Amino acid sequence: MKVLVLNCGSSSLKYQLFDMTTEEVLAKGLIERIGIEGSRIKHEKTGDEPVIFDVPIPEHKTGVRKMLDALLDEKHGLLKSLDELIAVGHRVVHGGEKFARSVIVDKEVLNVIEECVPLAPLHNPANLTGIKAMVELLPETPQVAVFDTAFHQTMPKYAYMYGVPYHYYEEHRVRRYGFHGTSHAYVSHRAAEILQKPFNELKVVTCHLGNGSSITAVDCGKSVDTSLGFGTVPGVLMGTRSGEVDPTLVLYLMEKENLDTKLMSHILHKESGILGISGISSDLRDVEEAAEQGNQRAKLALDMLCYGVRKHIGAYAAAMGGIDAIVFTAGIGENSSTVRKMVVEGLEFLGADVDPEKNNVRGKERIISTDGAKVSVLVVPTNEELVIARDTKELIKV
Ligand code: ADP
């Protein structure tokens, strides 16, 4: 029972082939530089060394075809025939208010993803291109769309509305949507399993800390608030994104520096955050190292990140009327014991405390709170592809 998972970006395409009887990854790969010179496929059959195919890939459809060729390859592939694929699951960034769960793709679904392009102009067009290429190449195989925004559709209206005139919400759909939904859903679910508690009775704050970061309050299985919003800038300090800023600061800078919207958007998305504050790098590893050597701006970036995460945990504990668990995931959350320690320090009043020895872990599931602490703190590596594969299998009900 094989399911292919596709994550199609503007110039890249990631894929994983799952055997859904065992949930094992049979192969995975990355196609880079689509439409640019030097395009290539890095394909890895589980258990084998990765192989690189240098092939011209002028557009996504060729990329999808080459990926299928790699999966059918006599030496490096795993499929004898494409009929073995029971379905294909696609990551789609924005489902607007229409999709609160994953869906089987049909014409109507394609139209809605298209309608959401203005809300995610960089991502939805690329996601759509991947789906359309797949539909063309495998017209008989069911395609499923899994949305980053869907998990957050359970937020109450008072949490997702912004205080601007109401008609802007009606006319332009401006509201908090939230992102990284599949990740927050997966790690909160896993946390309940690890703690052996019912998911729908647990109050969890999930901290997805990567290049892009978001914190989510998961109250009895439902997302009730999240730190990313209409777009992907608010919340905590990110690699190159600012996190929360006062909107009047944006207007002030635009006026003072004579910046147009494109430039201002570039500053908020690409020049801010850990990079903008530290002046060193957007990569937290570089910044942690510089901070250790006494670089004050690197230390400030680290302090700002951890303070922001801690503040959100406190706010979400208040939003849910309590908290049972804090979960760390994604590149920083899974790997940085420093960040985890700094975030939880100061949350003792809630009953959260990290055991330094247990916290000495990278990329593995583990409870890192002290024995008997009221709030469990966990590291749970995220697995968005598995969620997509599971939803896909579930929807086509084979
Ligand atoms: P993306 O949002 O692009 O998926 P990731 O989840 O891969 O990002 O996270 C990337 C971040 O994780 C980078 O800031 C990187 O520095 C950080 N990271 C990865 N490994 C470590 C580590 N060992 N220690 C600290 N930070 C790490």
Side-chain angles (χ1 to χ4, degrees), residues 210-212 282-285 288 330-332 335-336 362:
N211 268 320
S282 63
D283 193 305
L284 193 81
R285 281 167 289 202
E288 278 187 0
I332 296 172
N335 291 297
S336 175
R362 275 187 206 293

Side-chain angles (χ1 to χ4, degrees), residues 165-308:
Y166 194 84
H167 64 92
Y168 290 126
Y169 165 64
E170 294 174 309
E171 287 160 27
H172 301 296
R173 297 181 286 166
V174 291
R175 51 158 284 180
R176 182 186 303 278
Y177 289 100
F179 299 90
H180 302 131
T182 33
S183 176
H184 290 293
Y186 175 78
V187 300
S188 53
H189 226 282
R190 263 316 281 154
E193 284 170 0
I194 295 166
L195 296 170
Q196 300 182 337
K197 301 243 172 79
F199 185 44
N200 57 9
E201 286 176 17
L202 217 55
K203 296 177 187 300
V204 188
V205 176
T206 47
C207 308
H208 177 111
L209 309 176
N211 268 320
S213 300
S214 62
I215 323 294
T216 295
V218 185
D219 191 0
C220 301
K222 287 185 179 152
S223 167
V224 292
D225 207 344
T226 189
S227 64
L228 287 177
F230 174 69
T232 54
V233 163
V236 299
L237 200 73
M238 294 173 240
T240 58
R241 291 178 240 157
S242 63
E244 185 206 345
V245 290
D246 178 344
T248 61
L249 166 161
V250 175
L251 302 175
Y252 184 78
L253 280 185
M254 287 176 81
E255 211 171 290
K256 282 278 172 204
E257 298 264 322
N258 202 15
L259 304 168
D260 62 13
T261 48
K262 210 169 158 195
L263 256 174
M264 192 65 231
S265 170
H266 185 82
I267 293 168
L268 290 170
H269 286 89
K270 300 282 180 200
E271 295 181 7
S272 300
I274 294 172
L275 171 68
I277 294 295
S278 71
I280 293 172
S281 166
S282 63
D283 193 305
L284 193 81
R285 281 167 289 202
D286 304 336
V287 173
E288 278 187 0
E289 205 181 304
E292 254 167 51
Q293 287 162 5
N295 183 302
Q296 287 307 304
R297 276 176 52 187
K299 189 172 174 313
L300 176 63
L302 202 54
D303 284 341
M304 285 172 72
L305 166 65
C306 297
Y307 176 65

Side-chain angles (χ1 to χ4, degrees), residues 13-244:
L13 193 163
K14 287 186 213 153
Y15 61 91
Q16 286 196 12
L17 179 68
F18 283 86
D19 178 343
M20 287 312 286
T21 322
T22 55
E23 295 196 336
E24 222 181 320
V25 177
L26 302 174
K28 61 183 177 186
L30 168 67
I31 304 183
E32 287 174 299
R33 303 178 66 85
I34 298 173
I36 313 171
E37 207 174 311
S39 49
R40 59 184 210 154
I41 305 184
K42 186 175 171 199
H43 175 83
E44 187 179 345
K45 181 173 165 179
T46 304
D48 287 1
E49 285 297 304
V51 279
I52 308 243
F53 302 102
D54 284 305
V55 277
I57 303 174
E59 31 61 46
H60 287 80
K61 195 169 156 200
T62 310
V64 170
R65 193 179 296 127
K66 298 285 178 200
M67 167 193 69
L68 295 175
D69 287 348
L71 291 170
L72 288 165
D73 188 89
E74 238 173 66
K75 195 159 165 224
H76 306 289
L78 286 119
L79 298 175
K80 289 205 165 50
S81 147
L82 293 175
D83 293 340
E84 287 174 54
L85 288 179
I86 56 162
V88 182
H90 297 264
R91 177 190 181 212
V92 181
V93 165
H94 220 304
E97 291 187 311
K98 287 275 168 62
F99 299 117
R101 55 188 57 83
S102 306
V103 286
I104 295 182
V105 173
D106 59 17
K107 257 213 171 105
E108 172 59 20
V109 169
L110 286 177
N111 286 341
V112 178
I113 300 175
E114 184 90 52
E115 276 170 27
C116 291
V117 165
L119 301 175
L122 295 179
H123 294 101
N124 269 33
N127 304 154
L128 259 181
T129 314
I131 300 177
K132 285 182 177 163
M134 226 43 222
V135 169
E136 247 184 275
L137 292 167
L138 297 177
E140 303 301 328
T141 310
Q143 313 284 325
V144 169
V146 180
F147 302 91
D148 270 20
T149 47
F151 183 58
H152 300 301
Q153 280 296 304
T154 45
M155 282 188 286
K157 196 159 186 173
Y158 56 77
Y160 71 68
M161 287 298 287
Y162 293 115
V164 293
Y166 194 84
H167 64 92
Y168 290 126
Y169 165 64
E170 294 174 309
E171 287 160 27
H172 301 296
R173 297 181 286 166
V174 291
R175 51 158 284 180
R176 182 186 303 278
Y177 289 100
F179 299 90
H180 302 131
T182 33
S183 176
H184 290 293
Y186 175 78
V187 300
S188 53
H189 226 282
R190 263 316 281 154
E193 284 170 0
I194 295 166
L195 296 170
Q196 300 182 337
K197 301 243 172 79
F199 185 44
N200 57 9
E201 286 176 17
L202 217 55
K203 296 177 187 300
V204 188
V205 176
T206 47
C207 308
H208 177 111
L209 309 176
N211 268 320
S213 300
S214 62
I215 323 294
T216 295
V218 185
D219 191 0
C220 301
K222 287 185 179 152
S223 167
V224 292
D225 207 344
T226 189
S227 64
L228 287 177
F230 174 69
T232 54
V233 163
V236 299
L237 200 73
M238 294 173 240
T240 58
R241 291 178 240 157
S242 63
E244 185 206 345

